[in-house]
Amino acid sequence: PGWLLSPDGRPFLDSILQKNQRRVFGLLERPVLPPTLAAPTVTYKLFLSGKSGVGKTALVAMLAGTPVPPVHHETLGIEATTVYWPAKLRTSGRPLIFQLHFWD
C-alpha cells in the first residue's frame, strides 16, 4: 500500500504531481518518466451516469485533484477528464500506469 511513497515508487508519483498537487493533463499529454522506468499504460474509459445532483462531477473533480464545484450546476453534455495513477502489481511486482478517462 505504501509503494508510491517508497524510493522505488517516488519517481512515478512525482510524474503525476506538480508542486505537491495532482497535475492536470491535457488530451495529448501524459506523465513523463525516465526511459529506465518506462511502465506500460493501461487505459480505461469510465462512464458515470445517475440522477442529477448526486455528486458525479464532484467525485471526478476530487479524483482528478481539481477544485470541487462549491455550488450545484448541471453538466451540459459530457465532460471528459483524464486521470493517471501509477500502481505496482502484487503478482508480478511490475509497475504500470492506469489512464482513467472519466466521462461525466
Side-chain angles (χ1 to χ4, degrees):
W3 172 75
L4 280 176
L5 300 177
S6 72
D8 291 339
R10 193 63 198 190
F12 293 94
L13 183 62
D14 290 341
S15 71
I16 64 167
L17 296 179
Q18 183 176 21
K19 298 180 183 177
N20 285 335
Q21 292 192 4
R22 182 177 286 279
R23 183 174 166 214
V24 178
F25 292 95
L27 185 62
L28 300 176
E29 295 177 311
R30 59 178 299 158
V32 177
L33 289 166
T36 57
L37 295 175
T41 302
V42 180
T43 304
Y44 287 98
K45 185 183 291 184
L46 304 166
F47 178 73
L48 297 173
S49 175
K51 292 184 178 185
S52 177
V54 296
K56 299 177 298 293
T57 301
L59 173 68
V60 172
M62 186 183 71
L63 293 173
T66 58
V68 177
V71 294
H72 168 69
H73 62 81
E74 258 189 64
T75 304
L76 301 175
I78 294 177
E79 192 173 308
T81 306
T82 301
V83 175
Y84 288 92
W85 192 255
K88 185 175 182 180
L89 298 176
R90 287 186 181 177
T91 54
S92 67
R94 255 181 51 196
L96 58 87
I97 297 177
F98 287 101
Q99 180 183 18
L100 307 172
H101 295 285
F102 287 100
W103 285 39
D104 170 30

